[in-house]
Amino acid sequence: MSELHTDSDSPENNWVNPLRDPHDKRLPRIAGPSGMVIFGVTGDLARRKLLPAVYDLANRGLLPAGFTLIGYGRREWNKEEFENYVLEAVHAGARTKFRDHVWERLAEGMHFVRGNFDDDAAFDTLADTLAEMNATRGTGGNWAYYLSVPPDYFADVCHQLQRSGLAESRDDAWRRVIIEKPFGHDQSSAKKLNEIVNAVFPEKSVFRIDHYLGKETVQNIMALRFANQLFDPMWSAHYVDHVQITMAEDIGLGGRAGYYDGIGAARDVIQNHLIQLLALVAMEEPVSFSPTELQAEKIKVLRATKPVYPLAKTTARGQYTAGWQGSTWVPGLRDEEGFDPKSTTETFAACTLEISSRRWAGVPFYLRTGKRLGRRVTEIALVFKEAPHQPFAEGMTSAMGNNAVVIRVQPDEGVLMRFGSKVPGSTMEVRDVNMDFSYSEAFTEESPEAYERLILDALLDESSLFPTNEEVELSWEILDPVLNYWEEHGLPDEYAAGTWGPESAEKMVERTGRHWRRP
Ligand code: BG6
């Protein structure tokens, strides 16, 4: 059988999960014998992200010889048709260069199994296929099942995997399940899903995806906070006035009605990505970066996090109407293909959270996200209190805002510090300036895609970057009161595409004398 890793001298082969010690030679960097089954392989996520990520991993030499990829779905595909579908996805989405020999070796191990998610016969075929692969490709009985399907199907797939003897790990062969969001639509449904999944797979075999945790800049929050001396002393209510976490997107929702209508911005990204960012920014230093210690700190801070009341004043939601996105006139949500023309789904959501701890008491955390906003940017801004005393005459500092540390998650990945500086000249005038660290200028290495990292981590049994069942349930517990309040109180406000959200979102922070940053 041919080796997939080809570029042993490539610098990318030194890649390792940054939460693992790169000097610890005992830790494997390349996945051991294994294969992956993707349920929902014809879906958007698999096509845009998962399949290209598998190719990129193979191309970087990080998959084992004999790695096997099984697609499971309803199409009437044979092996060749499946291969063509994957090839198209790889051409459209892979990050690394296309190389024929890598592709050919990867394609040798591709198969497609046709069936519904509750189909006994199809799962028996799947079991036979996996057994054959174990025998012919050396996958060793080690399988990761990627559930890229709506949560309504989790029960069927888990049940079928169990029934066909595919779910249980043995001493010499592991079975893991990787689960995509949305993980429920509130705390009680998330608990039920956890029960369903955990009845078949023990928690240590469950890898829940939050792809934000796979981003380089998100992991850098830990490096910034815990590897340096500079930031920690000012990382608390003593100096921080408030924190803003913004995930703004300029794209609309055309083509995503099936998933998004009825879900909305808060469930789509606040419950997972933004609350995870909050946990990493606000948690205490973990004893180590082992999954248990890291997750314990995140859980501790999530337990202390609650919405600020009254919700009428501390939250905001909106739905985009038609408008100018740059130089293009774009339709409103209700005119997007597939959306109910009376849809009440929010495409913008903002809320104010607080953390009851010595470090953060009294510091509001403002979270906001939206589609069709001014531009695409995700950032975390710690905005500092004013200096306790200004020895300058008032006019000298009037052009100065609050100091800030801004972690730019994407794009223009980096960290920015904003502070006042004297304007050159014969008078004393202080104005804001930026000190800017940019990944692309400081490093030559290109960051792997979040899904590359997370798929490899799941194959390596490295769970630090995956939220546990408890984290997911706690995130819903934080958000549920806001969602319930919205459910009972009217409709989302309107905002024109290309703006920064509804008026109510501005008011939400202005009433406390603060302002959103214009990223
Ligand atoms: C997904 C959401 O989790 O994240 C999408 O479902 C959103 O609505 C996407 O567009 C954004 O991801 P990224 O990595 O482009 O910021």
Side-chain angles (χ1 to χ4, degrees), residues 181 211-212 215 247 249 251 256 259 268-269 273 371 376 410:
K181 74 174 184 60
H211 80 279
Y212 263 58
K215 289 181 191 273
M247 176 183 169
E249 294 183 281
I251 50 170
R256 287 190 76 201
Y259 160 72
D268 184 38
V269 300
H273 309 327
K371 304 282 183 191
R376 173 177 182 250
Q410 65 187 27

Side-chain angles (χ1 to χ4, degrees), residues 116-121 123-124 155-166:
N116 288 326
F117 299 131
D118 58 355
D119 183 342
D120 286 5
F123 273 82
D124 291 344
D156 281 343
V157 178
C158 288
H159 164 74
Q160 283 293 347
L161 287 171
Q162 188 173 43
R163 190 198 58 78
S164 47
L166 294 175

Side-chain angles (χ1 to χ4, degrees), residues 150-155 179-198 208 262-263 267 271 469-470 472-477 479-480 483-484 487:
D152 289 351
Y153 295 113
F154 289 2
I179 304 184
E180 264 302 328
K181 74 174 184 60
F183 206 83
H185 59 271
D186 57 11
Q187 193 190 29
S188 100
S189 56
K191 281 189 172 160
K192 282 192 194 118
L193 286 178
N194 277 328
E195 277 165 23
I196 288 169
V197 173
N198 288 143
R208 293 176 193 75
I263 295 261
R267 288 188 170 93
Q271 183 271 335
N469 49 9
E470 198 175 349
V472 172
E473 289 173 19
L474 282 169
S475 307
W476 281 118
E477 190 173 321
L479 199 61
D480 275 356
L483 295 169
N484 294 339
E487 183 90 30

Side-chain angles (χ1 to χ4, degrees), residues 30 47 71 139 246 295 317 328 385 445 490:
I30 296 173
R47 192 170 38 80
T139 38
T246 298
Q295 286 151 357
R317 68 192 154 134
T328 314
K385 293 180 173 167
E445 296 88 344

